[in-house]
Amino acid sequence: MFCANCGNNIIPGEKFCGNCGASVLYGNNVEQSQPTEVMQPTGVEQPTEVMQPTGVEQPTEVMQPGIQIAQPEYATPLIKNRKLIIISACVIAAVAIIAAAVFFFTFPHFRKAAPSERIVVPKAKTSQSAQDVVRELQEKGVETRLVKDFGGSKPGNFARYQNVKPGQVIRGNHVVTVVESKGPGMPEKGVIGKTVEEAAPLLKSMGVPVKVYKVASLHPGKIAATNPMPGEPLDENKEIFIGVGEEDKYPDSGRSVPVELFDKDKDEAYKMMSDEGFKVRLVPKYSSRKHLGKIVGSNLGLGQSHRGDTDITLYYGADASETKKMFTSKRGYGESNQATVVSTLVPFVGKWCTKSGDCLEFEPTNYDTEIGENTRVLLRGTHAMDDLVDDENNKDYAHSFGMWQYTQQLLGDAIDTDDSDEDKNSLPLHNTLIFGDSGMTEIFRDGGDPYCGNKVYNVHSGLCVNGQFQDYQDLDSNYPDYSSNNFIDVPGVNKGITYKMRAYFVLVPVSAKLDELEASGFFKGKGKTKPDMDRPFILRRDPKYYSKSEITVASKDGDMRDNPFVPTSKHKAIPFAPAPDDSNVYYLVEKPFDFTGFIKDREL
């Protein structure tokens, strides 16, 4: 049988032409020879008339081979679709061929050098991009590896080769490591444990001043301490400091604290220094997760030598589990009144910076000199004057101000008692973070006291009259008709008292229950990117996220417990904003070595 459409020989039993796809069942195909008799199945009655599809005009005569046959209308779409498919396939193939040609002639093709082939490492400039240097090596058949580290060139540019030198002859099987610059900083490797001469080329390549100091070390002549720390960018000083170990200055009459104590297990360090004759005290200090339980600082300072000193405090890395221990102490007010009170704010002390370089610097003070505790810290830097509002009490602080914890009468505020029957909700600090188990704590300006004008309102020293504070001596002079017993009747008394949204910070150590605090509604909204929970950080409340940052006091005496901007014994504070995000939190800047206590040797 032959296909009536294309003339192709059709295998008996096939329903479609294998060449053009035309249907065999439409009756349009012609036998090579016609049978003289059609055999019918035995016993089957045959119809005397063949039924035709209704409405279809039938051919009046049988067409012979070689004569063109008219196709039924319903056969045409199949043929057309078949042609469309063939055309589409041709177009796709043509596009693929063109794309392959473009790729071949426009993109570089790198060969692999033979293992024995000798290749000269090309010279590269720091003005080139690191990718260009990689491409040049690959064109020579050299296999490459690209890493990012600190360098003197701008980020993205070539910094240096890590395992070869320009002009060096290498074999074809040598893998060359190309360093892409992240900008100036302290390289992760190549400095600690090296001599100054060995590390000098790498350090000088950063393009910033490099200062050399002498430090107490177990490895004289080797670089044992750096600032910034290895793997960290430059700080605001835009300088590099390295500490080189020297021999013990006072082997007979003094003591040295080697820099190698840093990151040593606290118990091992305790034994080591005790064996050296020191009276050692271990104190927790917030640190990143990698330093937990290890020494992160000391007093006497790491790397310093001391004549005659025998006491030393070793600070070890701590997380949220030690928050209460770090901030509080037990106090006894008579035999029957034992309380846990907030006794220090020292854990806030240090430098904390966002990834964009905005920083907070808290410094300790000895405000309560009679008990020798730091219940007040000073903030310096960008935000020191944010909410100063011409406060007369703070003009002398210039670019710093004091941060009070909860109330002015700090030692009278209990967060816990030894009496299990005590109603916890009656304690002054029961609405603060430190009272709970989140491992976090907060500090805020002036303890939430109300204001009269731009001055903290202290009813014990005077009264607020129409928004102006007047002490009792002024009241005697200005209102002679009133005695000290009835100044409350002076016109305008207790008018103009306000609460102001002042500085407010939350400290979040490693292992703090931040997710639970977020779920509690403590924050206003939610951040987009979760902060790095392996590093301690501070949150700063920003008034720009609020429609109102000052309100008039409702009560006559301006009770600080009515302040909605801070937690009080009456209520929690309004939701904190912004919510924690990796872009707005202030991470702790960890600096174990104080180079101001070292002796400067020279500059490179």
mmCIF file of all heavy atoms in Angstrom, residues 229-255:
data_model
loop_
_atom_site.group_PDB
_atom_site.id
_atom_site.type_symbol
_atom_site.label_atom_id
_atom_site.label_comp_id
_atom_site.label_asym_id
_atom_site.label_seq_id
_atom_site.Cartn_x
_atom_site.Cartn_y
_atom_site.Cartn_z
ATOM 1 N N MET A 229 42.119 42.566 65.760
ATOM 2 C CA MET A 229 42.372 41.149 65.889
ATOM 3 C C MET A 229 42.413 40.518 64.500
ATOM 4 O O MET A 229 41.851 41.047 63.545
ATOM 5 C CB MET A 229 41.262 40.498 66.730
ATOM 6 C CG MET A 229 41.227 40.970 68.173
ATOM 7 S SD MET A 229 42.670 40.388 69.103
ATOM 8 C CE MET A 229 42.280 38.645 69.257
ATOM 9 N N PRO A 230 43.090 39.368 64.347
ATOM 10 C CA PRO A 230 43.138 38.698 63.041
ATOM 11 C C PRO A 230 41.737 38.457 62.489
ATOM 12 O O PRO A 230 40.844 37.988 63.206
ATOM 13 C CB PRO A 230 43.846 37.373 63.360
ATOM 14 C CG PRO A 230 44.725 37.701 64.512
ATOM 15 C CD PRO A 230 43.937 38.665 65.345
ATOM 16 N N GLY A 231 41.546 38.826 61.219
ATOM 17 C CA GLY A 231 40.249 38.655 60.585
ATOM 18 C C GLY A 231 39.289 39.808 60.780
ATOM 19 O O GLY A 231 38.138 39.737 60.352
ATOM 20 N N GLU A 232 39.777 40.926 61.397
ATOM 21 C CA GLU A 232 38.918 42.079 61.654
ATOM 22 C C GLU A 232 39.379 43.281 60.826
ATOM 23 O O GLU A 232 40.568 43.458 60.568
ATOM 24 C CB GLU A 232 38.948 42.454 63.139
ATOM 25 C CG GLU A 232 38.368 41.395 64.066
ATOM 26 C CD GLU A 232 36.887 41.229 63.887
ATOM 27 O OE1 GLU A 232 36.218 42.209 63.490
ATOM 28 O OE2 GLU A 232 36.375 40.113 64.134
ATOM 29 N N PRO A 233 38.431 44.149 60.405
ATOM 30 C CA PRO A 233 38.798 45.351 59.648
ATOM 31 C C PRO A 233 39.405 46.406 60.558
ATOM 32 O O PRO A 233 39.378 46.287 61.793
ATOM 33 C CB PRO A 233 37.458 45.818 59.076
ATOM 34 C CG PRO A 233 36.447 45.342 60.073
ATOM 35 C CD PRO A 233 36.968 44.024 60.586
ATOM 36 N N LEU A 234 39.927 47.464 59.988
ATOM 37 C CA LEU A 234 40.474 48.571 60.766
ATOM 38 C C LEU A 234 39.372 49.240 61.574
ATOM 39 O O LEU A 234 38.214 49.290 61.156
ATOM 40 C CB LEU A 234 41.117 49.613 59.850
ATOM 41 C CG LEU A 234 42.342 49.197 59.026
ATOM 42 C CD1 LEU A 234 42.819 50.385 58.204
ATOM 43 C CD2 LEU A 234 43.455 48.690 59.921
ATOM 44 N N ASP A 235 39.739 49.773 62.742
ATOM 45 C CA ASP A 235 38.786 50.564 63.509
ATOM 46 C C ASP A 235 38.943 52.028 63.130
ATOM 47 O O ASP A 235 39.607 52.370 62.141
ATOM 48 C CB ASP A 235 38.956 50.345 65.017
ATOM 49 C CG ASP A 235 40.362 50.670 65.496
ATOM 50 O OD1 ASP A 235 41.084 51.412 64.792
ATOM 51 O OD2 ASP A 235 40.754 50.200 66.581
ATOM 52 N N GLU A 236 38.369 52.925 63.939
ATOM 53 C CA GLU A 236 38.383 54.349 63.599
ATOM 54 C C GLU A 236 39.792 54.948 63.605
ATOM 55 O O GLU A 236 40.026 56.014 63.037
ATOM 56 C CB GLU A 236 37.479 55.130 64.566
ATOM 57 C CG GLU A 236 37.989 55.240 65.983
ATOM 58 C CD GLU A 236 37.762 53.982 66.810
ATOM 59 O OE1 GLU A 236 37.166 53.022 66.283
ATOM 60 O OE2 GLU A 236 38.184 53.945 67.980
ATOM 61 N N ASN A 237 40.772 54.263 64.232
ATOM 62 C CA ASN A 237 42.145 54.785 64.256
ATOM 63 C C ASN A 237 42.840 54.685 62.903
ATOM 64 O O ASN A 237 43.810 55.403 62.639
ATOM 65 C CB ASN A 237 42.984 54.032 65.302
ATOM 66 C CG ASN A 237 42.496 54.276 66.719
ATOM 67 O OD1 ASN A 237 42.131 55.394 67.059
ATOM 68 N ND2 ASN A 237 42.482 53.235 67.532
ATOM 69 N N LYS A 238 42.372 53.764 62.066
ATOM 70 C CA LYS A 238 42.959 53.556 60.745
ATOM 71 C C LYS A 238 44.446 53.239 60.847
ATOM 72 O O LYS A 238 45.265 53.668 60.038
ATOM 73 C CB LYS A 238 42.747 54.771 59.837
ATOM 74 C CG LYS A 238 41.292 55.181 59.657
ATOM 75 C CD LYS A 238 40.451 54.059 59.083
ATOM 76 C CE LYS A 238 39.004 54.471 58.912
ATOM 77 N NZ LYS A 238 38.145 53.358 58.445
ATOM 78 N N GLU A 239 44.804 52.481 61.899
ATOM 79 C CA GLU A 239 46.181 52.071 62.113
ATOM 80 C C GLU A 239 46.204 50.603 62.515
ATOM 81 O O GLU A 239 45.192 50.037 62.944
ATOM 82 C CB GLU A 239 46.840 52.905 63.214
ATOM 83 C CG GLU A 239 47.001 54.378 62.884
ATOM 84 C CD GLU A 239 47.635 55.140 64.033
ATOM 85 O OE1 GLU A 239 47.277 54.867 65.204
ATOM 86 O OE2 GLU A 239 48.476 56.011 63.768
ATOM 87 N N ILE A 240 47.392 50.000 62.371
ATOM 88 C CA ILE A 240 47.606 48.625 62.807
ATOM 89 C C ILE A 240 48.633 48.622 63.934
ATOM 90 O O ILE A 240 49.665 49.295 63.854
ATOM 91 C CB ILE A 240 48.096 47.749 61.635
ATOM 92 C CG1 ILE A 240 46.941 47.484 60.663
ATOM 93 C CG2 ILE A 240 48.686 46.435 62.136
ATOM 94 C CD1 ILE A 240 47.348 46.702 59.433
ATOM 95 N N PHE A 241 48.300 47.879 65.012
ATOM 96 C CA PHE A 241 49.212 47.740 66.150
ATOM 97 C C PHE A 241 49.584 46.273 66.283
ATOM 98 O O PHE A 241 48.713 45.394 66.233
ATOM 99 C CB PHE A 241 48.551 48.208 67.448
ATOM 100 C CG PHE A 241 48.081 49.635 67.420
ATOM 101 C CD1 PHE A 241 46.801 49.951 66.985
ATOM 102 C CD2 PHE A 241 48.908 50.667 67.826
ATOM 103 C CE1 PHE A 241 46.352 51.261 66.951
ATOM 104 C CE2 PHE A 241 48.471 51.982 67.811
ATOM 105 C CZ PHE A 241 47.197 52.283 67.364
ATOM 106 N N ILE A 242 50.880 46.018 66.443
ATOM 107 C CA ILE A 242 51.319 44.644 66.681
ATOM 108 C C ILE A 242 52.172 44.614 67.942
ATOM 109 O O ILE A 242 52.951 45.525 68.212
ATOM 110 C CB ILE A 242 52.101 44.076 65.483
ATOM 111 C CG1 ILE A 242 53.343 44.921 65.170
ATOM 112 C CG2 ILE A 242 51.211 43.966 64.260
ATOM 113 C CD1 ILE A 242 54.227 44.302 64.094
ATOM 114 N N GLY A 243 51.993 43.548 68.720
ATOM 115 C CA GLY A 243 52.772 43.371 69.940
ATOM 116 C C GLY A 243 53.761 42.233 69.783
ATOM 117 O O GLY A 243 53.371 41.105 69.473
ATOM 118 N N VAL A 244 55.037 42.533 69.982
ATOM 119 C CA VAL A 244 56.103 41.543 69.827
ATOM 120 C C VAL A 244 56.599 41.122 71.210
ATOM 121 O O VAL A 244 56.869 41.973 72.069
ATOM 122 C CB VAL A 244 57.276 42.117 69.003
ATOM 123 C CG1 VAL A 244 58.383 41.082 68.840
ATOM 124 C CG2 VAL A 244 56.772 42.582 67.642
ATOM 125 N N GLY A 245 56.688 39.822 71.425
ATOM 126 C CA GLY A 245 57.091 39.300 72.728
ATOM 127 C C GLY A 245 58.503 39.697 73.109
ATOM 128 O O GLY A 245 59.402 39.747 72.263
ATOM 129 N N GLU A 246 58.682 39.994 74.389
ATOM 130 C CA GLU A 246 60.015 40.314 74.901
ATOM 131 C C GLU A 246 60.280 39.510 76.163
ATOM 132 O O GLU A 246 59.364 38.951 76.778
ATOM 133 C CB GLU A 246 60.133 41.806 75.198
ATOM 134 C CG GLU A 246 59.225 42.288 76.318
ATOM 135 C CD GLU A 246 59.493 43.736 76.687
ATOM 136 O OE1 GLU A 246 60.515 44.276 76.248
ATOM 137 O OE2 GLU A 246 58.689 44.300 77.434
ATOM 138 N N GLU A 247 61.515 39.463 76.560
ATOM 139 C CA GLU A 247 61.901 38.739 77.761
ATOM 140 C C GLU A 247 61.289 39.406 78.994
ATOM 141 O O GLU A 247 61.010 40.611 79.000
ATOM 142 C CB GLU A 247 63.434 38.717 77.904
ATOM 143 C CG GLU A 247 64.156 38.002 76.769
ATOM 144 C CD GLU A 247 63.954 36.498 76.804
ATOM 145 O OE1 GLU A 247 63.499 35.984 77.851
ATOM 146 O OE2 GLU A 247 64.244 35.841 75.792
ATOM 147 N N ASP A 248 61.050 38.613 80.048
ATOM 148 C CA ASP A 248 60.477 39.125 81.281
ATOM 149 C C ASP A 248 61.386 40.213 81.858
ATOM 150 O O ASP A 248 62.580 39.993 82.086
ATOM 151 C CB ASP A 248 60.320 37.976 82.285
ATOM 152 C CG ASP A 248 59.465 38.377 83.472
ATOM 153 O OD1 ASP A 248 59.235 39.588 83.666
ATOM 154 O OD2 ASP A 248 59.024 37.478 84.202
ATOM 155 N N LYS A 249 60.800 41.381 82.073
ATOM 156 C CA LYS A 249 61.589 42.505 82.596
ATOM 157 C C LYS A 249 62.023 42.295 84.036
ATOM 158 O O LYS A 249 63.100 42.720 84.456
ATOM 159 C CB LYS A 249 60.762 43.790 82.516
ATOM 160 C CG LYS A 249 60.625 44.373 81.135
ATOM 161 C CD LYS A 249 59.885 45.697 81.236
ATOM 162 C CE LYS A 249 59.793 46.368 79.887
ATOM 163 N NZ LYS A 249 59.108 47.687 79.991
ATOM 164 N N TYR A 250 61.144 41.697 84.816
ATOM 165 C CA TYR A 250 61.416 41.581 86.257
ATOM 166 C C TYR A 250 61.359 40.114 86.678
ATOM 167 O O TYR A 250 60.470 39.686 87.407
ATOM 168 C CB TYR A 250 60.386 42.383 87.052
ATOM 169 C CG TYR A 250 60.142 43.768 86.503
ATOM 170 C CD1 TYR A 250 58.929 44.090 85.908
ATOM 171 C CD2 TYR A 250 61.121 44.743 86.571
ATOM 172 C CE1 TYR A 250 58.696 45.361 85.406
ATOM 173 C CE2 TYR A 250 60.907 46.008 86.066
ATOM 174 C CZ TYR A 250 59.680 46.315 85.481
ATOM 175 O OH TYR A 250 59.454 47.565 84.983
ATOM 176 N N PRO A 251 62.280 39.296 86.233
ATOM 177 C CA PRO A 251 62.227 37.865 86.545
ATOM 178 C C PRO A 251 62.346 37.571 88.028
ATOM 179 O O PRO A 251 61.879 36.525 88.493
ATOM 180 C CB PRO A 251 63.415 37.289 85.755
ATOM 181 C CG PRO A 251 64.337 38.454 85.564
ATOM 182 C CD PRO A 251 63.478 39.648 85.439
ATOM 183 N N ASP A 252 62.961 38.457 88.793
ATOM 184 C CA ASP A 252 63.171 38.201 90.217
ATOM 185 C C ASP A 252 62.172 38.924 91.110
ATOM 186 O O ASP A 252 61.752 38.387 92.134
ATOM 187 C CB ASP A 252 64.595 38.594 90.609
ATOM 188 C CG ASP A 252 65.652 37.811 89.849
ATOM 189 O OD1 ASP A 252 65.401 36.613 89.604
ATOM 190 O OD2 ASP A 252 66.677 38.400 89.488
ATOM 191 N N SER A 253 61.791 40.146 90.716
ATOM 192 C CA SER A 253 60.976 40.951 91.627
ATOM 193 C C SER A 253 59.601 41.318 91.074
ATOM 194 O O SER A 253 58.863 42.054 91.718
ATOM 195 C CB SER A 253 61.723 42.256 91.953
ATOM 196 O OG SER A 253 61.978 42.979 90.761
ATOM 197 N N GLY A 254 59.248 40.840 89.910
ATOM 198 C CA GLY A 254 57.978 41.257 89.327
ATOM 199 C C GLY A 254 57.164 40.107 88.776
ATOM 200 O O GLY A 254 57.497 38.943 88.942
ATOM 201 N N ARG A 255 56.075 40.474 88.148
ATOM 202 C CA ARG A 255 55.169 39.497 87.573
ATOM 203 C C ARG A 255 54.821 39.935 86.149
ATOM 204 O O ARG A 255 54.706 41.119 85.872
ATOM 205 C CB ARG A 255 53.878 39.375 88.377
ATOM 206 C CG ARG A 255 54.068 38.950 89.831
ATOM 207 C CD ARG A 255 54.387 37.453 89.927
ATOM 208 N NE ARG A 255 54.390 37.009 91.307
ATOM 209 C CZ ARG A 255 55.426 37.111 92.139
ATOM 210 N NH1 ARG A 255 56.540 37.686 91.717
ATOM 211 N NH2 ARG A 255 55.350 36.661 93.378
#
